[in-house]
Amino acid sequence: MYIVFLTIGLVLTTVFTIKRTYKSSPCLLMLKALSSAFFIFTAITAFVFNNNVPLLVGVPAVIGAVFGLLGDISLDLKYVYPQDHDVYLKGGFTAFSIGHLFYIVSIFFSYELSFGNYAYALFGLVALIISVPVTEKLMKLDYNKFKLITIMYSAILGFTDALSFSVIFTEGVSVHTVLHSVGLTLFLLSDAVLSGLYFAKDEKKKKSRTSIIVNHIFYYSAQYILAVSLAFYRG
């Protein structure tokens, strides 16, 4: 069943990505919301039709996807209502941060985690915090008043991604562990591209058509892969 929602979602996402520019509109916002809604539907059906997925694993994963949708809407509203740009950008950061916290909860109940898992996750957290000032200089970005929230979000992202990867080493390679880790890594890569679109000092880079397309490919691939990973959970 999840394949039906996955297929429809990918078609909608492809159309949205083709039509997407550095600006937005109410029509594009609705199309984006619809594209994002289908990765939630994919996650729900992948979870419900897999009897191996406990509630404490599936429900947080679905909630994480819902906050992804809320983040998507918030980030596009800053284009529709430019006078409230900062509010909606911070809202997007907040929604995605909360979503990743729910992914952490899902991972926690998916496997028996050890000290090594958390140590690896903390390493990822520290690495991503350090990457903020480093990439700001290398990529010629200016986080300005968004630096603190960028650091906080990066910390959560780094912890979640590293925790997911650590499970591969402790639990072994499986379709679920690999898909989950790949999905979170693509999420990270999409945010790396997005940082250039939002915070580049060069205005031309903020309007790069190539970066916009790459960002959406990474982001929606991440969300749909995370959703599909629930279908392969075996406990």
Side-chain angles (χ1 to χ4, degrees):
M1 179 62 72
Y2 77 87
I3 294 177
V4 174
F5 290 106
L6 172 64
T7 302
I8 297 173
L10 291 178
V11 171
L12 288 170
T13 300
T14 300
V15 173
F16 168 70
T17 302
I18 292 172
K19 290 182 173 292
R20 190 70 159 102
T21 66
Y22 68 92
K23 295 182 179 180
S24 188
S25 66
C27 183
L28 278 176
L29 176 57
M30 287 189 288
L31 182 56
K32 182 178 186 180
L34 194 58
S35 301
S36 298
F38 272 85
F39 62 64
I40 298 175
F41 298 150
T42 301
I44 291 173
T45 49
F47 160 42
V48 170
F49 286 91
N50 183 356
N51 295 326
N52 295 309
V53 183
L55 285 175
L56 289 175
V57 173
V59 172
V62 171
I63 295 175
V66 170
F67 274 98
L69 167 61
L70 295 177
D72 290 338
I73 294 173
S74 185
L75 290 182
D76 258 39
L77 283 174
K78 68 185 179 64
Y79 295 114
V80 179
Y81 303 104
Q83 68 274 16
D84 296 315
H85 173 279
D86 292 3
V87 173
Y88 289 120
L89 181 53
K90 289 179 180 178
F93 269 114
T94 302
F96 285 120
S97 295
I98 295 173
H100 275 74
L101 291 177
F102 276 101
Y103 287 139
I104 292 172
V105 172
S106 180
I107 296 171
F108 177 81
F109 287 107
S110 293
Y111 302 98
E112 293 184 9
L113 304 179
S114 64
F115 173 79
N117 294 112
Y118 293 113
Y120 195 80
L122 286 173
F123 174 80
L125 180 151
V126 173
L128 262 291
I129 289 177
I130 294 173
S131 74
V132 174
V134 173
T135 55
E136 184 176 29
K137 184 175 182 180
L138 293 176
M139 296 174 63
K140 297 180 180 180
L141 308 176
D142 183 12
Y143 292 116
N144 200 354
K145 55 189 172 184
F146 298 102
K147 179 170 283 188
L148 179 58
I149 197 169
T150 299
I151 290 173
M152 293 172 63
Y153 174 63
S154 297
I156 295 172
L157 191 65
F159 186 93
T160 312
D161 197 5
L163 184 64
S164 182
F165 262 105
S166 74
V167 173
I168 294 178
F169 299 116
T170 57
E171 297 291 333
V173 175
S174 69
V175 176
H176 174 262
T177 56
V178 171
L179 285 179
H180 200 270
S181 297
V182 169
L184 287 171
T185 299
L186 287 171
F187 215 123
L188 190 156
L189 291 174
S190 75
D191 286 327
V193 176
L194 199 63
S195 64
L197 290 169
Y198 285 175
F199 303 113
K201 294 178 181 179
D202 185 347
E203 288 298 319
K204 289 184 179 180
K205 290 184 179 179
K206 290 183 178 181
K207 301 176 182 179
S208 169
R209 177 69 173 160
T210 300
S211 294
I212 291 170
I213 292 174
V214 170
N215 166 251
H216 283 84
I217 290 174
F218 281 162
Y219 173 71
Y220 279 103
S221 294
Q223 290 285 25
Y224 279 104
I225 288 173
L226 286 170
V228 169
S229 70
L230 289 169
F232 297 92
Y233 180 81
R234 296 295 178 265

